[in-house]
């Protein structure tokens, strides 16, 4: 895991990744919500729909079973569901930050902001 020199960090409301304090935010760090201009521009996107869908699909499964982000994407779109994969992963990371789900790889809970490759979602105990 990378160390961040004890700088304060927060979770971006759009992409769900953690980001560190920067000098340009010295005056308004408390109000900073997004890690980048790109994420700020996304703030009007219907991202809550994705979060709701993830929780809805997990609620239908046996407790503590996992779902793949592609199941979420496919449930929303028949064609071109691949375009939804990264938004779904981002929604998953936001749910992790809210303490609602865990992201797992090979059955182990992994650090949501650093996980690479195939991930699955699981309701948090
Ligand atoms: Zn972001």
């Amino acid at each position: 895991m990378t160390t961040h020199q004890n700088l304060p960090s927060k979770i971006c409301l759009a992409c769900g990744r953690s980001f560190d304090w920067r000098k340009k935010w010295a005056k308004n760090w408390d109000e900073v919500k997004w890690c980048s201009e790109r994420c700020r521009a996304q703030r009007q996107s219907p991202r809550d729909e994705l979060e709701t869908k993830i929780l809805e699909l997990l609620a239908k499964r046996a407790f503590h079973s996992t779902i793949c982000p592609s199941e979420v994407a496919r449930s929303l779109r028949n064609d071109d569901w691949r375009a939804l994969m990264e938004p779904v992963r981002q929604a998953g990371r936001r749910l992790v930050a809210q303490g609602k789900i865990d992201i797992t790889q090979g059955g182990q809970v992994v650090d949501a902001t650093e996980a690479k490759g195939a991930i699955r979602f699981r309701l948090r105990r």
Side-chain angles (χ1 to χ4, degrees), residues 29-92:
W29 174 245
D30 285 348
E31 287 124 57
V32 174
K33 296 185 177 72
W34 299 282
C35 69
S36 60
E37 282 306 314
R38 192 163 157 260
C39 282
R40 178 205 282 275
Q42 279 185 13
R43 69 188 189 278
Q44 302 294 357
S45 68
R47 53 177 197 255
D48 291 346
E49 181 197 6
L50 295 176
E51 293 178 18
T52 306
K53 197 68 188 178
I54 292 169
L55 294 174
E56 204 180 287
L57 289 176
L58 280 169
K60 285 182 193 159
R61 302 302 166 86
F63 190 67
H64 227 63
S65 61
T66 60
I67 58 168
C68 177
S70 68
E71 295 174 57
V72 182
R74 283 199 184 93
S75 74
L76 291 162
R77 242 187 239 180
N78 289 324
D79 53 307
D80 203 25
W81 57 267
R82 280 167 209 279
L84 273 182
M85 285 297 285
E86 188 52 26
V88 168
R89 290 193 195 100
Q90 292 182 350

Side-chain angles (χ1 to χ4, degrees), residues 105-122:
Q105 283 183 318
Q108 302 293 318
V109 175
V110 294
D111 183 335
T113 70
E114 312 215 345
K116 302 239 165 33
I119 55 169
R120 299 184 68 85
F121 300 144
R122 188 172 72 184

